[in-house]
Protein backbone atom coordinates (compact mmCIF):
# COMPACT_ATOMS: atom_id res chain seq x y z
CA UNK A 1 0.00 0.00 0.00
CA UNK A 2 1.23 3.46 -0.79
CA UNK A 3 0.05 7.02 -0.68
CA UNK A 4 0.46 7.07 -4.46
CA UNK A 5 3.25 9.63 -4.37
CA UNK A 6 5.48 8.72 -7.31
CA UNK A 7 4.63 10.79 -10.38
CA UNK A 8 7.22 9.38 -12.78
CA UNK A 9 5.70 8.68 -16.17
CA UNK A 10 2.25 9.88 -15.13
CA UNK A 11 0.31 12.18 -17.45
CA UNK A 12 -0.68 15.65 -16.28
CA UNK A 13 -4.21 15.88 -14.99
CA UNK A 14 -6.61 18.68 -15.70
CA UNK A 15 -6.30 22.18 -14.40
CA UNK A 16 -9.47 21.49 -12.43
CA UNK A 17 -7.71 18.93 -10.22
CA UNK A 18 -4.81 21.26 -9.54
CA UNK A 19 -7.19 24.08 -8.69
CA UNK A 20 -9.19 21.81 -6.39
CA UNK A 21 -6.05 20.98 -4.39
CA UNK A 22 -4.94 24.61 -4.28
CA UNK A 23 -8.43 25.73 -3.29
CA UNK A 24 -8.34 23.28 -0.35
CA UNK A 25 -4.92 24.65 0.62
CA UNK A 26 -6.27 28.20 0.49
CA UNK A 27 -9.18 27.25 2.74
CA UNK A 28 -6.73 25.60 5.12
CA UNK A 29 -4.62 28.77 5.12
CA UNK A 30 -7.66 30.85 6.02
CA UNK A 31 -8.59 28.40 8.78
CA UNK A 32 -5.04 28.50 10.15
CA UNK A 33 -5.31 32.28 10.56
CA UNK A 34 -8.45 31.77 12.64
CA UNK A 35 -6.86 28.99 14.72
CA UNK A 36 -3.54 30.70 15.48
CA UNK A 37 -4.74 33.18 18.15
CA UNK A 38 -7.22 30.82 19.85
CA UNK A 39 -6.72 30.20 23.56
CA UNK A 40 -6.64 26.69 24.89
CA UNK A 41 -10.31 26.43 25.89
CA UNK A 42 -11.98 26.40 22.47
CA UNK A 43 -9.41 23.99 21.06
CA UNK A 44 -9.81 21.55 23.93
CA UNK A 45 -13.61 21.71 23.69
CA UNK A 46 -13.39 20.90 19.98
CA UNK A 47 -11.04 17.98 20.64
CA UNK A 48 -13.46 16.50 23.17
CA UNK A 49 -16.33 16.96 20.73
CA UNK A 50 -14.32 15.18 18.03
CA UNK A 51 -13.62 12.28 20.41
CA UNK A 52 -17.30 11.92 21.25
CA UNK A 53 -18.25 12.11 17.57
CA UNK A 54 -15.95 9.21 16.65
CA UNK A 55 -17.80 6.92 19.03
CA UNK A 56 -21.24 8.26 18.21
CA UNK A 57 -20.66 7.57 14.52
CA UNK A 58 -18.72 4.32 14.96
CA UNK A 59 -21.10 2.33 12.74
CA UNK A 60 -20.69 4.79 9.89
CA UNK A 61 -16.88 4.74 10.18
CA UNK A 62 -16.59 0.96 10.51
CA UNK A 63 -18.84 0.42 7.49
CA UNK A 64 -16.56 2.63 5.40
CA UNK A 65 -13.51 0.81 6.73
CA UNK A 66 -15.07 -2.54 5.80
CA UNK A 67 -15.18 -1.32 2.19
CA UNK A 68 -11.44 -0.61 2.29
CA UNK A 69 -10.68 -3.97 3.91
CA UNK A 70 -12.71 -5.84 1.30
CA UNK A 71 -10.84 -4.08 -1.53
CA UNK A 72 -7.48 -4.79 0.11
CA UNK A 73 -8.28 -8.47 0.57
CA UNK A 74 -9.51 -8.68 -3.01
CA UNK A 75 -6.22 -7.17 -4.19
CA UNK A 76 -4.19 -9.78 -2.28
CA UNK A 77 -2.77 -7.28 0.20
CA UNK A 78 -0.45 -8.76 2.83
CA UNK A 79 -1.98 -9.52 6.21
CA UNK A 80 0.30 -7.13 8.12
CA UNK A 81 -0.72 -4.28 5.81
CA UNK A 82 -4.40 -5.11 6.28
CA UNK A 83 -3.80 -4.96 10.03
CA UNK A 84 -2.60 -1.37 9.61
CA UNK A 85 -5.71 -0.55 7.62
CA UNK A 86 -8.28 -2.22 9.86
CA UNK A 87 -10.42 -0.28 12.32
CA UNK A 88 -12.32 -1.91 15.18
CA UNK A 89 -14.49 -0.50 17.95
CA UNK A 90 -11.56 -0.97 20.30
CA UNK A 91 -9.25 0.96 17.98
CA UNK A 92 -11.84 3.73 17.58
CA UNK A 93 -12.04 3.96 21.36
CA UNK A 94 -8.26 4.25 21.46
CA UNK A 95 -8.33 7.00 18.82
CA UNK A 96 -11.00 8.89 20.79
CA UNK A 97 -8.96 8.53 23.96
CA UNK A 98 -5.95 9.89 22.08
CA UNK A 99 -7.92 13.06 21.32
CA UNK A 100 -8.93 13.36 24.96
CA UNK A 101 -5.31 12.87 26.01
CA UNK A 102 -4.23 15.65 23.65
CA UNK A 103 -6.90 17.93 25.11
CA UNK A 104 -5.46 17.32 28.58
CA UNK A 105 -1.95 18.34 27.54
CA UNK A 106 -0.56 21.86 27.98
CA UNK A 107 -1.00 24.15 24.98
CA UNK A 108 2.44 24.84 23.48
CA UNK A 109 1.28 27.97 21.65
CA UNK A 110 2.43 31.11 23.44
CA UNK A 111 5.06 29.34 25.53
CA UNK A 112 8.08 31.57 26.08
CA UNK A 113 11.14 29.53 25.09
CA UNK A 114 13.51 32.19 26.40
CA UNK A 115 13.34 35.84 27.34
CA UNK A 116 15.81 38.55 28.27
CA UNK A 117 16.36 42.29 28.30
CA UNK A 118 19.12 43.88 26.25
CA UNK A 119 21.36 46.62 27.69
CA UNK A 120 19.38 49.19 25.69
CA UNK A 121 16.17 48.16 27.46
CA UNK A 122 14.74 46.12 24.57
CA UNK A 123 12.71 43.21 25.92
CA UNK A 124 13.14 40.04 23.83
CA UNK A 125 10.95 36.94 24.01
CA UNK A 126 11.13 33.84 21.82
CA UNK A 127 7.55 32.52 21.70
CA UNK A 128 6.07 29.29 20.31
CA UNK A 129 3.65 29.78 17.42
CA UNK A 130 1.80 27.43 15.06
CA UNK A 131 3.44 26.46 11.79
CA UNK A 132 0.27 27.27 9.86
CA UNK A 133 -0.84 24.63 7.37
CA UNK A 134 0.60 21.17 7.95
CA UNK A 135 0.30 18.76 5.03
CA UNK A 136 0.62 15.08 5.90
CA UNK A 137 1.05 12.32 3.30
CA UNK A 138 0.68 8.85 4.74
CA UNK A 139 -0.04 5.23 3.98
CA UNK A 140 -2.95 3.02 4.95
CA UNK A 141 -3.36 3.77 8.65
CA UNK A 142 -6.66 5.58 9.25
CA UNK A 143 -5.71 6.27 12.86
CA UNK A 144 -3.16 8.75 11.52
CA UNK A 145 -6.07 10.81 10.20
CA UNK A 146 -7.41 11.33 13.69
CA UNK A 147 -4.04 11.70 15.40
CA UNK A 148 -2.94 14.31 12.87
CA UNK A 149 -6.20 16.23 13.10
CA UNK A 150 -6.03 16.37 16.89
CA UNK A 151 -2.39 17.33 17.21
CA UNK A 152 -2.61 19.97 14.49
CA UNK A 153 -5.71 21.52 16.06
CA UNK A 154 -4.23 21.68 19.57
CA UNK A 155 -1.03 23.27 18.22
CA UNK A 156 -3.06 25.84 16.28
CA UNK A 157 -2.42 24.42 12.81
CA UNK A 158 -4.75 23.52 9.97
CA UNK A 159 -4.29 19.94 8.71
CA UNK A 160 -4.34 19.04 5.02
CA UNK A 161 -4.29 15.25 4.85
CA UNK A 162 -3.53 12.86 2.00
CA UNK A 163 -3.85 9.20 2.91
CA UNK A 164 -3.45 6.35 0.47
CA UNK A 165 -6.22 5.38 -1.90
CA UNK A 166 -6.52 2.04 -0.08
CA UNK A 167 -7.93 3.90 2.96
CA UNK A 168 -10.01 6.40 1.00
CA UNK A 169 -13.42 5.30 2.29
CA UNK A 170 -12.22 5.20 5.90
CA UNK A 171 -10.54 8.60 5.72
CA UNK A 172 -13.50 10.21 3.98
CA UNK A 173 -15.84 9.00 6.73
CA UNK A 174 -13.46 10.04 9.50
CA UNK A 175 -12.94 13.54 8.13
CA UNK A 176 -16.68 14.05 7.65
CA UNK A 177 -17.29 13.15 11.30
CA UNK A 178 -14.44 15.36 12.55
CA UNK A 179 -15.49 18.35 10.44
CA UNK A 180 -19.06 18.20 11.71
CA UNK A 181 -17.75 18.13 15.29
CA UNK A 182 -15.48 21.12 14.63
CA UNK A 183 -18.30 23.20 13.19
CA UNK A 184 -20.60 22.26 16.07
CA UNK A 185 -17.86 23.44 18.46
CA UNK A 186 -17.65 26.79 16.68
CA UNK A 187 -14.38 26.22 14.83
CA UNK A 188 -13.83 26.18 11.05
CA UNK A 189 -14.46 22.81 9.42
CA UNK A 190 -11.67 23.61 6.97
CA UNK A 191 -9.20 23.22 9.84
CA UNK A 192 -9.13 19.52 8.88
CA UNK A 193 -9.41 18.51 5.22
CA UNK A 194 -8.60 15.66 2.88
CA UNK A 195 -6.64 16.57 -0.22
CA UNK A 196 -9.10 16.38 -3.12
CA UNK A 197 -8.59 13.58 -5.64
CA UNK A 198 -7.21 10.06 -5.52
CA UNK A 199 -4.63 10.31 -8.32
CA UNK A 200 -0.90 10.62 -7.96
CA UNK A 201 -1.13 14.04 -9.54
CA UNK A 202 -3.16 15.35 -6.62
CA UNK A 203 -0.25 14.49 -4.34
CA UNK A 204 2.14 16.32 -6.63
CA UNK A 205 -0.03 19.42 -6.48
CA UNK A 206 0.09 19.29 -2.67
CA UNK A 207 3.87 18.94 -2.73
CA UNK A 208 4.13 22.01 -4.99
CA UNK A 209 1.77 24.23 -2.96
CA UNK A 210 4.60 26.30 -1.55
CA UNK A 211 3.29 29.45 0.05
CA UNK A 212 -0.02 27.82 0.96
CA UNK A 213 1.29 24.72 2.75
CA UNK A 214 3.94 25.54 5.35
CA UNK A 215 5.37 22.09 5.96
CA UNK A 216 4.89 18.53 4.67
CA UNK A 217 5.32 15.41 6.79
CA UNK A 218 5.47 12.05 4.97
CA UNK A 219 4.63 9.01 7.08
CA UNK A 220 5.09 5.54 5.62
CA UNK A 221 7.57 3.36 3.79
CA UNK A 222 10.95 4.30 2.37
CA UNK A 223 9.59 4.84 -1.15
CA UNK A 224 6.90 7.26 0.01
CA UNK A 225 9.32 9.27 2.13
CA UNK A 226 11.96 9.42 -0.59
CA UNK A 227 9.44 10.62 -3.19
CA UNK A 228 8.17 13.41 -0.98
CA UNK A 229 11.66 14.56 0.01
CA UNK A 230 12.91 14.56 -3.58
CA UNK A 231 9.86 16.02 -5.34
CA UNK A 232 8.42 18.54 -2.88
CA UNK A 233 9.02 22.28 -3.08
CA UNK A 234 7.28 22.62 0.31
CA UNK A 235 9.65 22.18 3.30
CA UNK A 236 9.62 18.57 4.55
CA UNK A 237 10.08 17.06 8.00
CA UNK A 238 11.38 13.61 7.18
CA UNK A 239 10.11 10.60 9.07
CA UNK A 240 11.86 7.26 8.75
CA UNK A 241 11.36 3.54 8.47
CA UNK A 242 12.02 1.36 11.48
CA UNK A 243 14.89 -1.10 11.27
CA UNK A 244 15.08 -1.32 15.08
CA UNK A 245 17.61 -3.41 17.00
CA UNK A 246 17.70 -5.19 20.35
CA UNK A 247 21.25 -5.66 21.64
CA UNK A 248 21.72 -8.21 24.45
CA UNK A 249 24.89 -7.17 26.25
CA UNK A 250 27.43 -9.43 27.95
CA UNK A 251 26.02 -8.43 31.33
CA UNK A 252 22.36 -8.82 30.44
CA UNK A 253 19.79 -10.50 32.65
CA UNK A 254 18.69 -13.40 30.43
CA UNK A 255 15.06 -13.51 31.56
CA UNK A 256 14.73 -9.75 31.15
CA UNK A 257 16.31 -9.88 27.73
CA UNK A 258 13.93 -12.59 26.50
CA UNK A 259 10.93 -10.65 27.82
CA UNK A 260 12.03 -7.43 26.12
CA UNK A 261 12.89 -9.16 22.85
CA UNK A 262 9.54 -10.92 22.62
CA UNK A 263 7.66 -7.70 23.30
CA UNK A 264 9.76 -5.69 20.82
CA UNK A 265 9.33 -8.28 18.06
CA UNK A 266 5.90 -9.83 18.56
CA UNK A 267 3.64 -7.42 20.47
CA UNK A 268 2.66 -5.85 17.13
CA UNK A 269 4.75 -6.57 14.05
CA UNK A 270 3.25 -4.11 11.57
CA UNK A 271 4.55 -0.94 13.25
CA UNK A 272 7.80 0.94 12.75
CA UNK A 273 9.01 0.54 16.36
CA UNK A 274 8.94 -3.26 16.34
CA UNK A 275 12.37 -4.93 16.48
CA UNK A 276 13.78 -6.31 13.24
CA UNK A 277 17.32 -7.34 14.30
CA UNK A 278 18.71 -9.11 17.36
CA UNK A 279 22.36 -8.67 18.30
CA UNK A 280 23.79 -10.87 21.06
CA UNK A 281 27.17 -10.45 22.76
CA UNK A 282 29.21 -13.64 22.38
CA UNK A 283 29.87 -13.81 26.15
CA UNK A 284 26.14 -14.23 26.92
CA UNK A 285 25.14 -16.16 23.79
CA UNK A 286 25.50 -19.63 25.37
CA UNK A 287 23.16 -18.63 28.21
CA UNK A 288 20.73 -16.47 26.23
CA UNK A 289 20.17 -18.27 22.94
CA UNK A 290 19.01 -21.63 24.38
CA UNK A 291 16.27 -19.72 26.22
CA UNK A 292 15.41 -17.10 23.59
CA UNK A 293 15.31 -19.26 20.47
CA UNK A 294 12.59 -21.67 21.66
CA UNK A 295 10.58 -18.69 22.93
CA UNK A 296 10.82 -17.04 19.51
CA UNK A 297 9.81 -20.27 17.79
CA UNK A 298 6.82 -20.60 20.11
CA UNK A 299 5.81 -17.06 19.12
CA UNK A 300 5.99 -17.99 15.43
CA UNK A 301 9.10 -15.98 14.61
CA UNK A 302 11.25 -16.96 11.62
CA UNK A 303 14.94 -16.37 12.29
CA UNK A 304 17.28 -15.07 9.59
CA UNK A 305 20.42 -16.16 11.35
CA UNK A 306 24.15 -15.72 11.06
CA UNK A 307 26.37 -18.78 11.48
CA UNK A 308 26.60 -18.64 15.28
CA UNK A 309 22.85 -18.19 15.81
CA UNK A 310 22.09 -20.88 13.22
CA UNK A 311 24.34 -23.37 15.08
CA UNK A 312 22.65 -22.62 18.43
CA UNK A 313 19.25 -23.04 16.77
CA UNK A 314 20.26 -26.34 15.16
CA UNK A 315 21.41 -27.63 18.53
CA UNK A 316 17.91 -26.87 19.83
CA UNK A 317 16.24 -28.48 16.82
CA UNK A 318 15.05 -25.13 15.44
CA UNK A 319 15.14 -24.31 11.74
CA UNK A 320 16.48 -20.97 10.55
CA UNK A 321 16.99 -19.09 7.29
CA UNK A 322 20.51 -18.05 6.37
CA UNK A 323 20.88 -14.29 6.84
CA UNK A 324 21.96 -12.27 3.80
CA UNK A 325 23.22 -8.70 3.54
CA UNK A 326 19.68 -7.59 2.70
CA UNK A 327 18.39 -9.01 5.98
CA UNK A 328 20.48 -6.61 8.02
CA UNK A 329 18.78 -3.68 6.25
CA UNK A 330 15.27 -5.17 6.32
CA UNK A 331 12.19 -3.66 7.89
CA UNK A 332 10.19 -6.89 7.86
CA UNK A 333 6.97 -5.69 9.54
CA UNK A 334 6.25 -9.38 10.05
CA UNK A 335 7.21 -12.30 12.30
CA UNK A 336 10.74 -12.34 10.86
CA UNK A 337 13.86 -11.44 12.78
CA UNK A 338 17.48 -11.10 11.70
CA UNK A 339 19.87 -12.39 14.39
CA UNK A 340 23.62 -12.16 14.87
CA UNK A 341 26.26 -12.81 17.54
CA UNK A 342 28.74 -9.95 17.99
CA UNK A 343 32.09 -9.80 19.75
CA UNK A 344 31.61 -6.55 21.64
CA UNK A 345 29.31 -3.65 22.36
CA UNK A 346 31.29 -1.55 19.89
CA UNK A 347 30.71 -4.15 17.17
CA UNK A 348 26.99 -4.01 17.91
CA UNK A 349 27.02 -0.23 17.63
CA UNK A 350 28.97 -0.38 14.37
CA UNK A 351 26.43 -2.84 12.98
CA UNK A 352 23.55 -0.57 14.00
CA UNK A 353 25.17 2.54 12.53
CA UNK A 354 25.87 0.64 9.29
CA UNK A 355 22.48 -0.99 8.73
CA UNK A 356 20.02 0.81 10.99
CA UNK A 357 17.49 3.43 9.97
CA UNK A 358 18.10 5.75 12.92
CA UNK A 359 14.75 4.94 14.54
CA UNK A 360 15.08 3.07 17.86
CA UNK A 361 17.64 0.74 19.42
CA UNK A 362 17.49 -1.12 22.74
CA UNK A 363 20.21 -2.44 25.01
CA UNK A 364 19.62 -5.02 27.74
CA UNK A 365 22.37 -4.85 30.36
CA UNK A 366 23.08 -4.64 34.08
CA UNK A 367 26.19 -2.56 33.39
CA UNK A 368 25.71 1.19 33.74
CA UNK A 369 28.96 1.72 31.86
CA UNK A 370 27.72 -0.33 28.90
CA UNK A 371 24.38 1.45 28.94
CA UNK A 372 26.03 4.87 28.96
CA UNK A 373 28.34 3.98 26.09
CA UNK A 374 25.49 2.53 24.02
CA UNK A 375 23.34 5.63 24.55
CA UNK A 376 26.24 7.93 23.69
CA UNK A 377 27.38 6.14 20.53
CA UNK A 378 24.15 4.91 18.91
CA UNK A 379 22.95 7.57 16.46
CA UNK A 380 19.18 7.03 16.56
CA UNK A 381 16.10 9.05 17.45
CA UNK A 382 15.24 6.71 20.33
CA UNK A 383 17.37 4.57 22.63
CA UNK A 384 15.84 2.19 25.19
CA UNK A 385 17.83 0.86 28.14
CA UNK A 386 16.33 -2.34 29.57
CA UNK A 387 13.05 -1.53 27.83
CA UNK A 388 11.28 -2.45 24.61
CA UNK A 389 11.70 -0.55 21.35
CA UNK A 390 7.89 -0.32 21.30
CA UNK A 391 8.03 2.71 23.62
CA UNK A 392 9.12 5.05 20.85
CA UNK A 393 5.54 6.19 20.47
CA UNK A 394 3.84 9.49 21.18
CA UNK A 395 1.12 7.95 23.29
CA UNK A 396 3.54 5.85 25.35
CA UNK A 397 5.73 8.89 26.02
CA UNK A 398 2.81 10.99 27.18
CA UNK A 399 2.31 13.10 24.04
CA UNK A 400 -1.30 11.92 23.62
CA UNK A 401 -0.57 10.90 20.03
CA UNK A 402 2.03 11.57 17.38
CA UNK A 403 2.30 12.74 13.79
CA UNK A 404 5.15 10.32 13.13
CA UNK A 405 8.68 9.41 14.20
CA UNK A 406 11.20 11.86 12.82
CA UNK A 407 14.62 10.35 12.15
CA UNK A 408 16.17 13.56 10.85
CA UNK A 409 18.25 15.97 12.94
CA UNK A 410 16.45 19.27 12.51
CA UNK A 411 14.10 20.77 15.12
CA UNK A 412 12.01 17.60 15.42
CA UNK A 413 13.52 14.19 16.18
CA UNK A 414 11.75 11.14 17.54
CA UNK A 415 7.98 11.05 18.20
CA UNK A 416 6.45 14.29 16.93
CA UNK A 417 3.91 15.69 19.34
CA UNK A 418 2.54 19.16 19.97
CA UNK A 419 5.82 20.97 20.54
CA UNK A 420 7.28 19.60 17.30
CA UNK A 421 4.33 21.10 15.38
CA UNK A 422 5.24 24.61 16.42
CA UNK A 423 7.80 27.13 15.28
CA UNK A 424 8.89 30.24 17.15
CA UNK A 425 8.88 33.98 16.62
CA UNK A 426 10.90 36.68 18.35
CA UNK A 427 8.84 39.41 19.98
CA UNK A 428 10.83 42.58 20.66
CA UNK A 429 9.25 45.20 22.90
CA UNK A 430 10.67 48.65 23.53
CA UNK A 431 9.68 52.16 24.49
CA UNK A 432 10.55 54.07 21.35
CA UNK A 433 13.77 52.04 21.26
CA UNK A 434 15.85 52.61 18.12
CA UNK A 435 19.11 51.09 16.95
CA UNK A 436 22.19 53.19 17.46
Amino acid sequence: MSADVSTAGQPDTSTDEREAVLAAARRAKEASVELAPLPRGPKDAALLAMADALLEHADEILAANAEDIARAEGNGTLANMIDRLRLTRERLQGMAQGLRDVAALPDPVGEVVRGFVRPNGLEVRQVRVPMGVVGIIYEARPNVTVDAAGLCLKSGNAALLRGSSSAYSSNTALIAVLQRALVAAGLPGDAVQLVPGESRESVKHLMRARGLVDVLIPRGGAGLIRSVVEESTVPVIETGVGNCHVYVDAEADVDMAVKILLNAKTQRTSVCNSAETLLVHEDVADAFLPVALPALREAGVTLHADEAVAKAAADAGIETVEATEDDWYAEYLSLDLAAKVVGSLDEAVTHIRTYGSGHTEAIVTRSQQAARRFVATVDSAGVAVNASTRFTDGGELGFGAEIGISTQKLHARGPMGLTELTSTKFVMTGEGTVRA
Side-chain angles (χ1 to χ4, degrees):
M1 298 179 184
S2 73
D4 307 317
V5 172
S6 177
T7 59
Q10 296 296 315
D12 287 337
T13 57
S14 68
T15 301
D16 289 345
E17 184 177 49
R18 177 177 181 273
E19 284 306 314
V21 173
L22 294 181
R26 292 187 191 100
R27 293 194 301 271
K29 197 73 170 178
E30 292 174 3
S32 74
V33 173
E34 188 172 341
L35 293 176
L38 286 179
R40 174 177 179 173
K43 293 187 290 188
D44 287 351
L47 287 166
L48 296 176
M50 290 159 62
D52 291 342
L54 287 179
L55 302 183
E56 290 169 6
H57 298 278
D59 290 343
E60 171 187 337
I61 295 166
L62 293 177
N65 182 248
E67 295 175 7
D68 290 331
I69 294 294
R71 282 195 299 270
E73 291 175 340
N75 293 333
T77 303
L78 295 176
N80 63 320
M81 293 294 103
I82 290 178
D83 177 61
R84 289 187 171 206
L85 177 61
R86 190 183 305 278
L87 293 177
T88 62
R89 292 188 186 277
E90 182 179 8
R91 289 185 180 181
L92 279 177
Q93 288 170 354
M95 291 154 63
Q97 186 59 48
L99 291 174
R100 296 188 183 105
D101 291 343
V102 171
L105 293 172
D107 188 345
V109 178
E111 176 191 350
V112 177
V113 177
R114 54 179 167 168
F116 48 88
V117 178
R118 298 292 296 147
N120 62 1
L122 187 71
E123 179 186 281
V124 181
R125 290 177 296 132
Q126 185 183 11
V127 182
R128 290 202 181 279
V129 296
M131 288 185 170
V133 177
V134 178
I136 303 172
I137 303 172
Y138 53 103
E139 294 181 338
R141 294 185 66 175
N143 65 293
V144 176
T145 302
V146 176
D147 291 348
L151 288 170
C152 286
L153 176 63
K154 180 67 178 256
S155 54
N157 299 293
L160 198 51
L161 309 177
R162 181 38 161 93
S164 59
S165 58
S166 57
Y168 184 78
S169 296
S170 303
N171 289 334
T172 299
L174 286 167
I175 290 297
V177 168
L178 296 178
Q179 286 181 328
R180 291 196 298 266
L182 281 169
V183 172
L187 298 189
D190 288 333
V192 178
Q193 297 180 71
L194 283 184
V195 175
E198 296 183 67
S199 75
R200 295 176 179 179
E201 289 296 303
S202 69
V203 187
K204 182 176 74 172
H205 298 319
L206 175 64
M207 294 191 294
R208 304 292 169 82
R210 191 178 181 93
L212 294 174
V213 179
D214 294 287
V215 65
L216 276 180
I217 303 172
R219 177 169 174 169
L224 166 71
I225 295 165
R226 183 173 57 252
S227 294
V228 175
V229 170
E230 293 177 353
E231 298 185 36
S232 178
T233 62
V234 175
V236 176
I237 297 178
E238 185 174 348
T239 61
V241 297
N243 180 12
C244 303
H245 298 72
V246 174
Y247 165 60
V248 180
D249 185 53
E251 297 187 48
D253 178 286
V254 169
D255 291 338
M256 178 192 293
V258 172
K259 178 182 178 181
I260 288 171
L261 174 62
L262 287 174
N263 181 263
K265 177 68 259 183
T266 69
Q267 197 259 346
R268 191 176 179 192
T269 60
S270 63
V271 289
C272 61
N273 57 18
S274 63
E276 306 291 18
T277 300
L278 166 67
L279 302 173
V280 182
H281 195 292
E282 61 183 8
D283 289 352
V284 78
D286 287 345
F288 173 75
L289 291 176
V291 180
L293 297 183
L296 289 168
R297 178 180 59 181
E298 181 69 21
V301 175
T302 298
L303 282 169
H304 300 250
D306 77 340
E307 185 176 349
V309 174
K311 182 180 184 304
D315 291 343
I318 297 171
E319 294 184 1
T320 60
V321 177
E322 182 180 356
T324 67
E325 185 77 358
D326 289 343
D327 284 306
W328 307 127
Y329 288 108
E331 184 187 32
Y332 295 114
L333 301 176
S334 62
L335 284 171
D336 291 85
L337 180 70
K340 180 179 182 179
V341 172
V342 295
S344 66
L345 183 150
D346 288 344
E347 184 182 342
V349 170
T350 297
H351 181 99
I352 292 168
R353 293 179 72 103
T354 300
Y355 298 103
S357 60
H359 192 293
T360 304
E361 326 303 343
I363 180 174
V364 185
T365 185
R366 290 173 293 193
S367 167
Q368 292 186 5
Q369 181 180 0
R372 286 195 296 267
R373 181 163 181 80
F374 189 82
V375 170
T377 55
V378 162
D379 187 23
S380 295
V383 184
V385 178
N386 294 330
S388 172
T389 59
R390 293 281 286 116
F391 285 107
T392 303
D393 175 88
E396 291 294 328
L397 296 184
F399 299 167
E402 69 184 35
I403 290 292
I405 309 294
S406 171
T407 54
Q408 64 176 20
K409 298 184 181 180
L410 300 182
H411 91 287
R413 195 180 191 198
M416 296 174 60
L418 294 172
T419 300
E420 288 73 28
L421 289 175
T422 62
S423 183
T424 63
K425 68 170 60 170
F426 283 89
V427 180
M428 296 158 282
T429 305
E431 296 183 4
T433 311
V434 295
R435 183 171 175 173

